[in-house]
Amino acid sequence: MSRMFVHINDAVNRTRSGAQDLSATAKEFAEEKMLNVKLVDVSIHFIGASNLPKMDIVGSADPYFVAKLDGQISYVSTVQPNTQNPVWNETWNVKNVPESAALQVEVLDKDEGSVHDDYIGKFATTISPGAKEVEIVTTLLKSVRGTFWLNVTTTPSEKPHARRYTFDGPIRFTRHFSPTVGILTKLNDERLYSTWKLHIKGVPLFFRDEYQHWNIKYRAAQTIFGSGPASLAVRSSIRSGHRMLYARSTRNGFGLIQTREDVFNLLRGGKDAFGKRVKPAVYTYIIAEGDDTFRFSETGAAFFVDFASKHALHANCAERVRYSGEFHVRPRGGWENFSDEIPDDQVEWEFVIDNNSGTYSPDAMLLPDLKALLEYNFPGFNIFALDFNDPALEQSREACRAYALKYRGIGQNELQPHASEGEETLQHHASVNTPSHERPEEQPPLSETLEAEYASAVQSHV
C-alpha cells in the first residue's frame, strides 16, 4: 500500500502544475495497474415496466428512464405517452465496460410544461448476462413503485486497451419542435421549426481529448460568454430557448439510423410535391461536449431569430463543443448539374460538412477526423470535410441554395432565420416563460434531494 502512494506522489510531482489534480492522477494510476480487470462489450435491452403509479391527478403517466453505467455514460429513453405499463424495446450498446460495472436506472414521469419531471423510483443491478426482473423503489421510503424488465448480453471486449465506456449504438435520433410551431396561423414548412439530435458512435475514438473552446476573438461570442450582467442575461435567454427547443416531450419524433434510407428520411422535406424528396438546404450543427450528440437544424430555421449565436443555442451555451459548423447534401456533380427528373434513389448523394462557426472556430486540422467519424457512422456516403475558407465549399453551398430558390419554391427569406409578421419568436417565448430555476438538459431531478425534502416536510408536520 505504501508503495502505491509513493508511485502516486511521484506521478503528481511530474504533472504540470494545475493540469491535473491528485484524484485524476490517482485514477489514472489505478487504471494502469488494473490491467487484469476483465472488460466486456455489453448490450442492454430495456424491455419495459409495469404497474407504475399515476403521478398526476389527471391522466395516466408519461414515463421515461435514465440509465447509467458506473456513472460514466448515460442513456435517456423515449417518453411513452399515457401509460402505466410502458414498453420501450430499446437497446444500448457500450464497449469496454468492466465486468463488475453497476447499472443504475431512474424512472421518471414527463410533466409537460414543467421544468421538473416527477420522480417515480430507481433500481440498480449488475451487468451479468441474462433476463432481469427488478423492482423500482423510492430512495428513502423504499416503497415499490413498479417492476422493470431488461435483458443483458455481454461478450469479451475485442480491444481491451481502447477507451472505456464507449457508446456503440444503435444510432438513434429525436426530432424536436420549437414551442412556437403551434402558435402560427400559417405553416409552410414545419422543418423550419424542427431540430434533430443524433446519438452517434465513436466520438471519443476520433476526437480523442480534443474540444473546441468558444472563440474569444469573436464579438458575438464575447457578448454571450462575457462576465458582465449583460452576458449573463444573454446566456439565460439562450439556455431557456435551448431547454424549450430540446425538451423531451410526447410530441418528439424518435427513430433509429440503420440504413442509408433512414438518413435520407431526415433530409427529406419541402413544400407541396417536394415534401418526399431530399431538400436542398444548408444546416447548422454542433457535436456536443456532454453527450457527444450530433445536433442540427436548417440554418434558416425560424427559431434562430434574435439569438446571438445559432451554434450556442444548439450547444446550450456550453463553453466548448466537440466540433461545429454547417453541412449540406448534394448530388454527385453538384446541384448546378442536377434535374428533378432524376429520382432520388438513382442519385449518388454526397455529404459536405465544414467548420463554419464563428462562435467556436473549430480547428481545421481536425477536419480529417470529422470526415472519418461520419464515415464510421454513415458507411457508404461520400463525405467531404472542407474548411470554411475553401472556395469549393462556397460554390457548392451557393449552388444548393440557388437550386432551392429556382426549383423548389423556397423564398429568399427562408434561407436565413426569419419571422413572419405577428409571429412569436422562440427568443420572446423563452423570455416570458423562463422559470426562476432551470435544470440542465436531459438530467433527471435529484431523487435523493426531492425525497429528503419530502421526508423533512412530513416530519415537520408530525
Side-chain angles (χ1 to χ4, degrees):
M1 180 66 71
S2 61
R3 181 177 297 177
M4 175 179 291
F5 282 108
V6 169
H7 281 298
I8 293 176
N9 186 62
D10 290 343
V12 172
N13 290 333
R14 291 193 302 268
T15 301
R16 185 176 301 172
S17 176
Q20 192 175 34
D21 61 19
L22 175 60
S23 63
T25 304
K27 179 180 178 182
E28 180 180 351
F29 174 80
E31 290 178 347
E32 291 176 355
K33 296 304 178 183
M34 293 174 63
L35 297 178
N36 59 338
V37 173
K38 185 177 180 181
L39 300 178
V40 295
D41 296 340
V42 60
S43 179
I44 305 173
H45 179 204
F46 300 104
I47 299 170
S50 64
N51 299 320
L52 300 181
K54 289 177 57 177
M55 303 304 294
D56 298 313
I57 298 177
V58 179
S60 183
D62 300 316
Y64 69 95
F65 65 85
V66 180
K68 295 183 179 181
L69 282 169
D70 288 343
Q72 299 296 313
I73 186 172
S74 62
Y75 178 96
V76 183
S77 78
T78 58
V79 178
Q80 297 298 309
N82 196 34
T83 178
Q84 294 172 256
N85 301 287
V87 176
W88 280 289
N89 275 331
E90 297 180 21
T91 300
W92 186 29
N93 301 325
V94 185
K95 287 184 174 292
N96 289 343
V97 179
E99 193 176 37
S100 59
L103 173 68
Q104 302 97 8
V105 177
E106 286 194 308
V107 183
L108 303 106
D109 173 41
K110 179 61 189 174
D111 196 354
E112 295 284 356
S114 174
V115 177
H116 295 284
D117 296 332
D118 296 321
Y119 172 72
I120 295 177
K122 69 177 183 178
F123 67 87
T125 185
T126 68
I127 60 168
S128 59
K132 302 175 186 290
E133 178 181 335
V134 289
E135 290 183 336
I136 303 167
V137 298
T138 57
T139 304
L140 298 178
L141 305 180
K142 302 300 181 184
S143 59
V144 177
R145 285 186 167 180
T147 304
F148 199 105
W149 286 274
L150 65 155
N151 189 68
V152 179
T153 304
T154 64
T155 57
S157 295
E158 297 178 356
K159 298 180 179 180
H161 298 295
R163 185 184 293 264
R164 295 188 181 184
Y165 304 99
T166 299
F167 172 66
D168 194 46
I171 302 171
R172 56 195 175 96
F173 74 87
T174 55
R175 181 180 183 179
H176 305 258
F177 296 92
S178 168
T180 60
V181 69
I183 303 173
L184 304 177
T185 56
K186 292 183 179 180
L187 183 60
N188 294 324
D189 189 354
E190 67 178 12
R191 292 179 63 85
L192 296 178
Y193 300 85
S194 303
T195 188
W196 288 262
K197 177 191 288 189
L198 273 66
H199 294 263
I200 57 177
K201 304 182 297 181
V203 173
L205 301 179
F206 293 91
F207 284 144
R208 302 165 297 281
D209 294 322
E210 297 281 355
Y211 296 90
Q212 310 303 306
H213 191 271
W214 68 271
N215 184 4
I216 61 175
K217 299 180 180 180
Y218 188 56
R219 184 174 296 276
Q222 295 170 357
T223 301
I224 297 168
F225 297 104
S227 58
S231 293
L232 181 63
V234 171
R235 289 197 297 274
S236 177
S237 175
I238 292 177
R239 285 171 177 157
S240 182
H242 174 94
R243 178 181 59 81
M244 293 179 177
L245 189 59
Y246 279 98
R248 283 184 305 275
S249 168
T250 56
R251 295 194 309 136
N252 294 157
F254 302 96
L256 298 179
I257 303 296
Q258 298 173 307
T259 66
R260 287 168 55 89
E261 186 66 17
D262 294 331
V263 178
F264 290 140
N265 284 336
L266 299 185
L267 303 174
R268 290 192 174 107
K271 300 177 180 178
D272 305 324
F274 300 113
K276 295 183 178 180
R277 301 210 63 171
V278 173
K279 185 178 181 180
V282 177
Y283 298 86
T284 296
Y285 80 90
I286 64 114
I287 300 177
E289 172 189 6
D291 56 9
D292 291 340
T293 53
F294 186 86
R295 308 173 185 178
F296 68 91
S297 61
E298 289 195 25
T299 299
F303 51 74
F304 283 137
V305 172
D306 296 334
F307 282 108
S309 166
K310 304 179 185 70
H311 291 105
L313 179 60
H314 278 305
N316 196 24
C317 268
E319 292 195 352
R320 62 183 193 172
V321 296
R322 284 294 198 168
Y323 217 74
S324 59
E326 295 181 332
F327 74 86
H328 63 279
V329 293
R330 69 185 182 194
R332 184 178 182 182
W335 285 101
E336 64 271 32
N337 297 311
F338 184 67
S339 170
D340 276 336
E341 295 179 359
I342 306 174
D344 285 354
D345 59 5
Q346 295 181 18
V347 176
E348 184 177 346
W349 292 100
E350 298 175 338
F351 193 97
V352 183
I353 193 164
D354 62 43
N355 59 342
N356 187 20
S357 170
T359 302
Y360 295 103
S361 188
D363 186 355
M365 296 296 290
L366 294 176
L367 284 169
D369 300 292
L370 177 63
K371 171 182 168 68
L373 172 65
L374 295 179
E375 290 173 338
Y376 177 71
N377 281 273
F378 311 116
F381 276 85
N382 293 321
I383 309 293
F384 293 84
L386 305 178
D387 183 67
F388 75 98
N389 279 322
D390 193 327
L393 171 65
E394 181 179 6
Q395 187 277 330
S396 180
R397 182 179 60 232
E398 294 311 309
C400 175
R401 287 171 168 161
Y403 196 93
L405 292 170
K406 186 173 182 179
Y407 298 106
R408 295 293 180 87
I410 303 299
Q412 183 71 42
N413 65 317
E414 296 177 53
L415 300 181
Q416 296 297 331
H418 63 283
S420 303
E421 184 178 356
E423 177 182 338
E424 182 183 20
T425 66
L426 177 62
Q427 198 277 341
H428 178 267
H429 189 78
S431 66
V432 298
N433 291 278
T434 301
S436 57
H437 298 285
E438 295 183 18
R439 118 178 110 80
E441 176 196 6
E442 292 202 339
Q443 293 296 319
L446 297 175
S447 54
E448 291 84 356
T449 301
L450 293 178
E451 289 200 58
E453 290 178 354
Y454 172 77
S456 176
V458 172
Q459 185 66 29
S460 66
H461 288 82
V462 173

